Coordinates of all heavy atoms in Angstrom, one line a residue:
A1 N 8.4 1.8 -7.0 CA 6.9 1.9 -7.2 C 6.3 1.9 -5.8 O 6.9 1.5 -4.8 CB 6.5 0.7 -8.0
G2 N 5.1 2.3 -5.8 CA 4.3 2.2 -4.5 C 3.9 3.6 -4.0 O 4.5 4.6 -4.4
V3 N 2.9 3.6 -3.1 CA 2.5 4.8 -2.5 C 3.4 5.2 -1.4 O 4.0 4.3 -0.8 CB 1.0 4.7 -2.0 CG1 0.1 4.4 -3.1 CG2 0.9 3.7 -0.9
D4 N 3.5 6.5 -1.1 CA 4.3 6.9 0.0 C 3.7 6.4 1.3 O 2.4 6.5 1.4 CB 4.4 8.5 0.0 CG 5.3 9.0 1.1 OD1 4.8 9.2 2.2 OD2 6.5 9.2 0.8
P5 N 4.4 6.0 2.3 CA 3.8 5.5 3.5 C 2.9 6.5 4.2 O 1.8 6.1 4.7 CB 5.0 5.2 4.4 CG 6.1 4.9 3.5 CD 5.9 5.8 2.3
A6 N 3.2 7.8 4.1 CA 2.4 8.8 4.7 C 1.1 9.0 4.0 O 0.1 9.5 4.6 CB 3.1 10.1 4.8
S7 N 1.0 8.5 2.7 CA -0.2 8.6 1.9 C -1.1 7.4 1.9 O -2.1 7.4 1.3 CB 0.1 9.0 0.5 OG 0.9 10.2 0.5
A8 N -0.6 6.3 2.5 CA -1.3 5.0 2.4 C -2.7 5.0 3.0 O -3.6 4.5 2.4 CB -0.4 3.9 3.1
A9 N -2.9 5.7 4.1 CA -4.2 5.7 4.7 C -5.2 6.4 3.8 O -6.3 6.0 3.6 CB -4.2 6.4 6.1
A10 N -4.8 7.6 3.3 CA -5.6 8.3 2.4 C -5.9 7.5 1.1 O -7.1 7.6 0.6 CB -5.0 9.7 2.0
F11 N -4.9 6.8 0.6 CA -5.1 6.0 -0.6 C -6.2 4.9 -0.3 O -7.1 4.7 -1.1 CB -3.8 5.3 -1.0 CG -3.9 4.6 -2.3 CD1 -3.6 5.1 -3.5 CD2 -4.3 3.2 -2.3 CE1 -3.7 4.4 -4.7 CE2 -4.4 2.5 -3.5 CZ -4.1 3.1 -4.7
L12 N -6.1 4.3 0.8 CA -7.1 3.2 1.1 C -8.5 3.8 1.3 O -9.5 3.2 0.9 CB -6.7 2.5 2.4 CG -5.5 1.5 2.2 CD1 -5.1 0.9 3.6 CD2 -6.0 0.3 1.3
R13 N -8.6 4.9 2.0 CA -9.9 5.5 2.2 C -10.5 5.8 0.8 O -11.7 5.6 0.6 CB -9.8 6.8 3.0 CG -9.4 6.6 4.5 CD -9.6 7.9 5.2 NE -9.1 7.8 6.6 CZ -7.9 8.1 7.1 NH1 -7.1 8.7 6.2 NH2 -7.6 7.9 8.3
E14 N -9.8 6.4 -0.1 CA -10.3 6.7 -1.4 C -10.6 5.4 -2.2 O -11.7 5.3 -2.8 CB -9.3 7.5 -2.2 CG -9.7 7.8 -3.6 CD -8.6 8.6 -4.4 OE1 -7.7 9.1 -3.8 OE2 -8.7 8.6 -5.6
A15 N -9.7 4.4 -2.1 CA -9.9 3.2 -2.9 C -11.1 2.4 -2.5 O -11.8 1.8 -3.3 CB -8.7 2.3 -2.9
C16 N -11.4 2.4 -1.2 CA -12.4 1.5 -0.6 C -13.8 2.0 -0.7 O -14.7 1.4 -0.2 CB -12.0 1.2 0.9 SG -10.6 0.1 1.0
V17 N -14.0 3.1 -1.5 CA -15.3 3.5 -1.9 C -15.8 2.6 -3.0 O -17.1 2.5 -3.2 CB -15.4 5.0 -2.3 CG1 -14.9 5.9 -1.2 CG2 -14.7 5.2 -3.6
H18 N -14.9 1.9 -3.6 CA -15.3 1.0 -4.7 C -15.8 -0.4 -4.2 O -15.2 -0.9 -3.3 CB -14.1 0.7 -5.6 CG -13.6 1.9 -6.3 ND1 -14.2 2.5 -7.4 CD2 -12.5 2.7 -6.1 CE1 -13.6 3.6 -7.8 NE2 -12.5 3.7 -7.1
D19 N -16.8 -0.9 -4.9 CA -17.2 -2.3 -4.6 C -16.3 -3.2 -5.5 O -15.7 -2.7 -6.5 CB -18.7 -2.5 -5.0 CG -19.6 -1.7 -4.1 OD1 -19.3 -1.6 -2.9 OD2 -20.7 -1.3 -4.6
G20 N -16.3 -4.5 -5.1 CA -15.6 -5.4 -5.9 C -14.1 -5.6 -5.7 O -13.4 -6.3 -6.4
I21 N -13.6 -4.9 -4.7 CA -12.1 -5.0 -4.3 C -12.0 -5.2 -2.8 O -12.8 -4.8 -2.0 CB -11.3 -3.8 -4.8 CG1 -11.8 -2.5 -4.0 CG2 -11.4 -3.6 -6.3 CD1 -10.8 -1.4 -4.1
R22 N -10.9 -5.8 -2.5 CA -10.6 -6.0 -1.0 C -9.1 -6.0 -0.9 O -8.3 -6.8 -1.5 CB -11.1 -7.4 -0.6 CG -10.8 -7.7 0.9 CD -11.6 -9.0 1.3 NE -11.4 -10.1 0.3 CZ -12.3 -11.0 0.1 NH1 -13.4 -11.0 0.7 NH2 -12.0 -12.0 -0.8
F23 N -8.5 -5.0 -0.1 CA -7.1 -5.0 0.1 C -6.8 -5.9 1.3 O -7.4 -5.8 2.4 CB -6.7 -3.6 0.5 CG -6.5 -2.7 -0.7 CD1 -7.5 -1.9 -1.2 CD2 -5.3 -2.7 -1.4 CE1 -7.3 -1.1 -2.3 CE2 -5.0 -2.0 -2.5 CZ -6.1 -1.1 -3.0
V24 N -6.0 -6.9 1.1 CA -5.8 -8.0 2.1 C -4.4 -7.9 2.7 O -4.0 -8.7 3.5 CB -6.0 -9.4 1.5 CG1 -7.4 -9.6 1.0 CG2 -5.0 -9.6 0.3
G25 N -3.6 -6.9 2.3 CA -2.3 -6.7 2.8 C -1.5 -5.7 2.1 O -1.9 -5.0 1.1
L26 N -0.2 -5.5 2.6 CA 0.7 -4.6 2.0 C 1.9 -5.3 1.4 O 2.1 -6.5 1.8 CB 1.3 -3.6 3.1 CG 0.3 -2.8 3.9 CD1 1.1 -1.9 4.9 CD2 -0.5 -1.9 3.0
M27 N 2.6 -4.7 0.5 CA 3.8 -5.3 -0.1 C 4.8 -4.2 -0.3 O 4.4 -3.0 -0.4 CB 3.5 -6.1 -1.3 CG 3.0 -5.3 -2.5 SD 3.4 -6.0 -4.1 CE 5.2 -5.7 -4.2
G28 N 6.0 -4.5 -0.4 CA 7.1 -3.6 -0.8 C 8.3 -4.3 -1.2 O 8.4 -5.5 -1.0
V29 N 9.2 -3.6 -1.9 CA 10.4 -4.2 -2.4 C 11.5 -3.4 -1.7 O 11.7 -2.2 -1.9 CB 10.6 -4.1 -3.9 CG1 11.9 -4.7 -4.4 CG2 9.4 -4.7 -4.6
A30 N 12.3 -4.2 -0.9 CA 13.4 -3.5 -0.1 C 14.6 -3.2 -1.0 O 14.8 -3.8 -2.0 CB 13.8 -4.5 1.0
D31 N 15.4 -2.2 -0.5 CA 16.6 -1.9 -1.1 C 17.6 -3.1 -1.0 O 17.9 -3.4 0.1 CB 17.2 -0.6 -0.4 CG 18.6 -0.2 -1.0 OD1 19.1 -0.9 -1.8 OD2 19.1 0.8 -0.5
P32 N 18.0 -3.7 -2.1 CA 18.8 -4.9 -2.0 C 20.2 -4.6 -1.4 O 20.9 -5.5 -1.0 CB 18.9 -5.4 -3.4 CG 18.7 -4.2 -4.3 CD 17.7 -3.4 -3.5
D33 N 20.6 -3.3 -1.5 CA 22.0 -3.0 -1.0 C 21.9 -2.5 0.5 O 23.0 -2.2 1.1 CB 22.6 -1.9 -1.8 CG 22.8 -2.3 -3.3 OD1 23.2 -3.5 -3.4 OD2 22.5 -1.5 -4.2
G34 N 20.7 -2.5 1.1 CA 20.6 -2.0 2.5 C 20.1 -3.1 3.3 O 19.8 -4.3 2.9
D35 N 19.9 -2.9 4.6 CA 19.3 -3.8 5.5 C 17.8 -3.9 5.3 O 17.1 -2.9 5.5 CB 19.7 -3.4 7.0 CG 19.2 -4.5 8.0 OD1 18.6 -5.4 7.6 OD2 19.6 -4.3 9.2
A36 N 17.3 -5.0 4.9 CA 15.9 -5.2 4.6 C 15.1 -5.2 5.9 O 13.9 -4.8 5.9 CB 15.6 -6.4 3.8
H37 N 15.6 -5.6 7.0 CA 14.8 -5.8 8.3 C 14.1 -4.5 8.7 O 12.9 -4.6 8.9 CB 15.7 -6.4 9.4 CG 16.1 -7.8 9.2 ND1 17.3 -8.1 8.4 CD2 15.6 -9.0 9.5 CE1 17.4 -9.5 8.4 NE2 16.4 -10.0 9.1

């Protein structure tokens, strides 16, 4: 799940035209079989 990193800026620009919301950070779920760092 999640937006593609290259699309994140465009997603935020579109989303932030709305009142009543505030993006306070990012989240992601790392591949448990790979290096999360």
